[in-house]
Amino acid sequence: MSAELRFDPIRLPPECEALRREVRAFISQEVAAGTFDPARVVHGEGQSPEFSRRVGGKGWIGMTWPKKYGGHERSYLERYVITEEFRVANAPVRLHFVADRQSGPVLIKYAPEHVKTDVLPRICRGEVCFAIGMSEPGSGSDLFAAKTKATRTKGGWLVNGTKIWTSNAHYADYLIALFRTSPPTKENRRHGLTQFLVDMKTPGIKINPIYQMSGLHDFNEVVFEDAFMPDDHVLGEIDGAWKQATSELAYERSGPERFLETLYVLIELVRVLGPEPDLRGAEGIGRLVAQLHTLRRMSVSVAGMLQAGKEPVVEGSIVKDLGTIWEQKLPARVRELAAFVEPEVTNRVTLEEQLAFATVIAPKLTLQGGTTEVLRGIIARGLGLR
Ligand SMILES: Cc1cc2nc3c(=O)[nH]c(=O)nc-3n(C[C@H](O)[C@H](O)[C@H](O)COP(=O)(O)OP(=O)(O)OC[C@H]3O[C@@H](n4cnc5c(N)ncnc54)[C@H](O)[C@@H]3O)c2cc1C
């Protein structure tokens, strides 16, 4: 068993609570101004360019990044608070969230200096949206089987092939993508992939929508036909992206967004059951909140590991696996606990509407960001069990 695997019981320091009050005041102002309605998740209003710019203006994007790139050199624990408060409020963060969570950190590690000074400050101002181009038809979980090919040409590379399930690609400014630059070797089947920064305005890129069961258009098929990538958009080592892509996944998998996507049904259940729920309701809510609290402690612990400069890939996978199973089961559990509550007739988005929406998005939760089975493979390997 790996001696490295442990979740330190980290507590959020006092500066985090001061920040939390500031964020809540900002959210209240935005809700009062009509920017978004925390209950109205059912309409999938996940993005707002103006909101992202205002969040950037507050200094809440790129919080942990160096000041010379527009960042704020604050802690991962402070960033945790921002993510948590915005997610619980269902704030429209989609435009800047991926760039803040993982694309920016990849650029900081691997992009040429002039690319960093160009792109990172714009991310921090909430002006650019990033997408993730890993999955392909035929290689979702098995990233290293990717076939989309980048072939050498004068001054850069020509890309041909197809990415799939690419969230936000239809409005993203950039994509960080894995392309095949050489065949795998006998010794290392992961060899031969390179990470690129793709400007989505590049000629030869076609975006085809894919609609989810909820009817929302969140992800896409992205087709490359002789799309030119300049040399300075290569990120890191040519053919060596397998070393880079796995550390990106620690950022992608461990945050509170991995167990809060259906939280609104629990918040609404607490509201409709009122201050004096019956024994069954109280026991049910108590159990769900205790589980949520545990997930939160684990996720805060992972934020502490990121703060300490570690790459908590296994711990992040554990949080993602437990978290997504919890948030996936939540709508059904809430439905049971609310079974005897009279439906409300108000202008609010009702619990029934929220449950209907949460139920149709639930199946995707254990797929996005890595499937349950694949995560368990990573955890087993980390524990020395395979
Ligand atoms: C809402 C949503 C958003 C997404 N956004 C993006 C995005 O922005 N960018 C991006 O690149 N991808 C994105 N994805 C893709 C997602 O990460 C992949 O769908 C996921 O990794 C699964 O790939 P697949 O669909 O090809 O299934 P497959 O990999 O074919 O898996 C099919 C089944 O086989 C199981 N399986 C596969 N390999 C193994 C194994 N080694 N051991 C045990 N079981 C295994 C899986 O768990 C699954 O149940 C998104 C997916 C969803 C649902």
Side-chain angles (χ1 to χ4, degrees):
M1 180 153 160
S2 165
E4 296 298 313
L5 184 69
R6 55 175 291 167
F7 286 89
D8 291 325
I10 290 173
R11 294 275 180 194
L12 294 174
E15 65 267 24
C16 284
E17 293 317 311
L19 177 62
R20 190 184 298 285
R21 285 193 292 277
E22 214 186 310
V23 184
R24 285 188 180 174
F26 172 78
I27 289 172
S28 299
Q29 273 171 18
E30 292 288 326
V31 172
T35 309
F36 66 98
D37 173 354
R40 207 155 270 283
V41 276
V42 293
H43 294 181
E45 292 155 353
Q47 79 254 21
S48 156
E50 301 76 25
F51 180 78
S52 285
R53 283 185 170 83
R54 286 198 289 278
V55 175
K58 295 294 275 181
W60 294 337
I61 305 177
M63 281 186 89
T64 61
W65 307 353
K67 286 188 178 163
K68 67 173 174 170
Y69 300 130
H72 302 279
E73 298 184 7
R74 296 178 76 169
S75 72
Y76 278 93
L77 297 173
E78 289 173 293
R79 182 179 177 275
Y80 185 94
V81 170
I82 303 285
T83 310
E84 183 172 65
E85 288 298 326
F86 282 165
R87 184 59 58 153
V88 169
N90 293 312
V93 296
R94 265 187 95 94
L95 282 182
H96 66 262
F97 189 72
V98 167
D100 179 52
R101 180 180 66 189
Q102 67 194 81
S103 319
V106 169
L107 296 180
I108 289 171
K109 274 195 187 159
Y110 303 112
E113 192 59 28
H114 70 277
V115 172
K116 290 188 210 184
T117 50
D118 170 28
V119 181
L120 293 167
R122 290 192 281 133
I123 296 179
C124 294
R125 293 197 296 269
E127 292 171 3
V128 286
C129 174
F130 269 71
I132 306 164
M134 295 195 187
S135 306
E136 295 187 9
S139 66
S141 305
D142 188 7
L143 289 182
F144 302 106
K147 290 197 181 73
T148 296
K149 205 169 168 186
T151 314
R152 265 249 168 257
T153 187
K154 196 167 171 245
W157 305 77
L158 281 182
V159 176
N160 284 283
T162 302
K163 294 285 171 186
I164 200 163
W165 319 128
T166 322
S167 303
N168 305 344
H170 48 311
Y171 44 73
D173 302 283
Y174 296 102
L175 174 76
I176 292 188
L178 274 185
F179 296 139
R180 181 151 296 287
T181 40
S182 298
T185 58
K186 256 193 206 151
E187 301 70 40
N188 183 3
R189 66 177 287 273
R190 298 172 157 205
H191 172 86
L193 291 168
T194 304
Q195 243 178 343
F196 284 77
L197 172 66
V198 178
D199 183 336
M200 294 301 276
K201 289 191 293 298
T202 307
I205 301 180
K206 193 168 167 223
I207 298 161
N208 301 318
I210 304 175
Y211 292 91
Q212 295 202 2
M213 245 162 47
S214 59
L216 294 180
H217 175 199
D218 287 339
F219 54 24
N220 306 273
E221 177 190 65
V222 182
V223 182
F224 297 83
E225 281 175 5
D226 280 340
F228 176 74
M229 306 290 136
D231 272 326
D232 64 359
H233 279 205
V234 169
L235 300 174
E237 196 183 319
I238 291 173
D239 294 337
W242 58 280
K243 295 176 212 156
Q244 300 166 205
T246 41
S247 68
E248 185 181 341
L249 297 176
Y251 295 103
E252 186 177 344
R253 290 181 172 161
S254 58
E257 70 275 16
R258 292 301 181 196
F259 48 86
L260 296 177
E261 197 162 334
T262 55
L263 185 77
Y264 47 85
V265 293
L266 178 56
I267 294 173
E268 195 59 12
L269 176 75
V270 171
R271 196 186 70 77
V272 298
L273 291 188
E276 290 178 19
D278 63 13
L279 192 59
R280 182 171 169 273
E283 188 270 342
I285 290 172
R287 197 172 284 278
L288 289 168
V289 171
Q291 290 160 350
L292 176 63
H293 182 71
T294 308
L295 285 167
R296 183 168 182 267
R297 292 295 307 272
M298 293 172 79
S299 183
V300 169
S301 179
V302 173
M305 294 178 213
L306 291 173
Q307 181 60 28
K310 298 181 188 165
E311 281 186 2
V313 174
V314 176
E315 293 87 345
S317 301
I318 293 173
V319 175
K320 204 263 172 192
D321 181 22
L322 294 173
T324 54
I325 286 176
W326 184 83
E327 65 179 0
Q328 189 172 65
K329 286 188 175 154
L330 185 61
R333 187 69 193 115
V334 166
R335 191 178 288 285
E336 285 165 9
L337 292 169
F340 303 110
V341 176
E342 285 296 314
E344 287 179 318
V345 186
T346 67
N347 286 330
R348 284 178 61 91
V349 179
T350 62
L351 179 60
E352 199 46 50
E353 282 177 86
Q354 289 193 339
L355 279 173
F357 183 73
T359 303
V360 288
I361 66 145
K364 78 176 177 119
L365 299 171
T366 51
L367 298 175
Q368 61 190 13
T371 67
T372 299
E373 292 77 11
V374 167
L375 291 167
R376 290 184 183 173
I378 294 170
I379 295 164
R381 198 175 303 115
L383 293 173
L385 300 172
R386 64 185 280 241

